[in-house]
Amino acid sequence: MRSYLFVPGDSERKLEKSLSSGADCLLIDLEDSVSLSQKPAARQLTRDFIEAERKKQSADTPKLVVRVNPLGSDMTDDDLAAIVGARPDGVLLPKSESGAHVQQLSAMIAVHEAEAGIAEGETEIHALVTETAKGALNAGTYEGASNRLKSLSWGGEDLSADIGVESNRTDDGRYTDLFRYARTLTLLGAATAGVEAVDTVYVDFRNADGLEQECREAVRDGFSGKMAIHPSQVDIINRVFTPSDAAIGKAKRIVKLFDEAGDDVGVLSLDGQMIDRPHLRQALKILERAKSAGLG
Ligand code: COA
Ligand code: MG
């Protein structure tokens, strides 16, 4: 998936608007964008929204993932009790501090799946892994945590608060070393766990050029998608994260070359460049991304 749009779970208007945003996935938020007093109303609204979408059974419905409150907040289980029975595609765990947190969440979800008569494991998990210093340092612990786990992403705002930085960007707008490190740990952790790496939000939501540049850097570095906070960011993210025709064409040629060469071949040449097994894996990833973007 390319675009993941955050939508406050207590806003009926934004929930409605989000459906026509073109996002591949909605991250319906019960955490930071919802005040404490609004949590019960947000849970109910989120549940009703997902149930209504499930009844429509429309092929256009984006994936529906709910961001619950973090473990240790004493709110996670109430969130899950409200929403799992409505059959969201997944749950996003904020402030995850290790693979053990994902295991714990998975067990909690299983109880609510059983209560609702849903097959165990149907609800996916996505995790935000660098929102605390401890979480960032444990980004490499997600391998084998749960078959539910589909992606890791990172966050700069909460990490700023946890560490007490003055700013997470330099004067020319680049992330400082600390945040580049957290971003890199996410890429390494996701590859280790065999799941997607999703880039964090770009908060300056009126700045389309800045967003586009950050998307390009994310594609270059191996992220498969990016989170958004405003519908106007979705088209840019979808466009940049959709592999180009040229990239798809080249990937197809590489796969064909290896197909024709048979299993015993390690290295080949294409257009005067050496091509070996890592290139094949890269090509297959591009084709997978193209397929999930609806291209052949
Ligand atoms: N999802 C769905 N619809 C959204 C939206 C979102 N994330 N953000 C804005 N919209 C809607 C607005 O409701 C508005 O629609 P309307 O005119 O029909 O009411 C339209 O898009 C334009 O919005 P705009 O006026 O440009 O922005 P805003 O000032 O209303 O909202 C934010 C700005 C940042 C508060 C809003 O984008 C938002 O709530 N983002 C998500 C925040 C979030 O979930 N954060 C947690 C993760 S970091
Ligand atoms: Mg947060």
Side-chain angles (χ1 to χ4, degrees), residues 1 9-10 27 43 50 62 85 103 128 131 149 164 201 203 207 220 230 235 241 255 263 265 271 294:
M1 292 192 289
D10 62 347
L27 301 173
R43 287 182 190 122
I50 297 171
Q103 274 173 343
L128 273 161
E131 293 193 299
L149 186 66
V201 295
V203 289
N207 181 355
R220 179 197 66 197
H230 193 280
D235 283 350
F241 281 89
V255 172
D263 284 346
V265 171
D271 302 335

Side-chain angles (χ1 to χ4, degrees), residues 5-8 13-14 17-18 29 33 67 201 205-206 229-231:
L5 175 64
F6 271 111
V7 194
R13 188 171 185 92
K14 286 177 186 165
K17 280 226 122 165
S18 68
D29 192 23
S33 70
R67 179 163 77 169
V201 295
F205 63 86
R206 307 263 183 240
I229 52 164
H230 193 280

Side-chain angles (χ1 to χ4, degrees), residues 130 154 156 159 168-170 172-188 199 213-214 217-218 220-221 223:
T130 71
W154 69 287
L159 184 60
N168 55 26
R169 304 258 187 186
T170 60
D172 60 4
R174 286 174 59 79
Y175 276 112
T176 60
D177 283 352
L178 178 68
F179 296 90
R180 299 199 72 75
Y181 183 49
R183 177 180 182 275
T184 301
L185 285 170
T186 306
L187 287 163
L188 293 169
D199 197 21
Q213 188 186 333
E214 205 164 275
E217 288 171 8
R220 179 197 66 197
D221 294 344
F223 287 100

Side-chain angles (χ1 to χ4, degrees), residues 31-32 67 94-95 131 157-158:
E31 198 214 6
D32 285 343
R67 179 163 77 169
K95 302 180 179 71
E131 293 193 299
E157 308 308 317
D158 285 279

Side-chain angles (χ1 to χ4, degrees), residues 100-152:
H101 268 195
V102 165
Q103 274 173 343
Q104 194 185 330
L105 179 72
S106 175
M108 291 165 78
I109 292 173
V111 172
H112 296 289
E113 285 175 336
E115 278 171 6
I118 296 170
E120 180 170 346
E122 220 171 81
T123 317
E124 298 175 348
I125 294 179
H126 302 259
L128 273 161
V129 300
T130 71
E131 293 193 299
T132 63
K134 185 176 175 185
L137 289 173
N138 283 336
T141 62
Y142 289 86
E143 186 180 10
S146 169
N147 287 337
R148 298 178 191 270
L149 186 66
K150 297 297 172 229
S151 80
L152 300 188

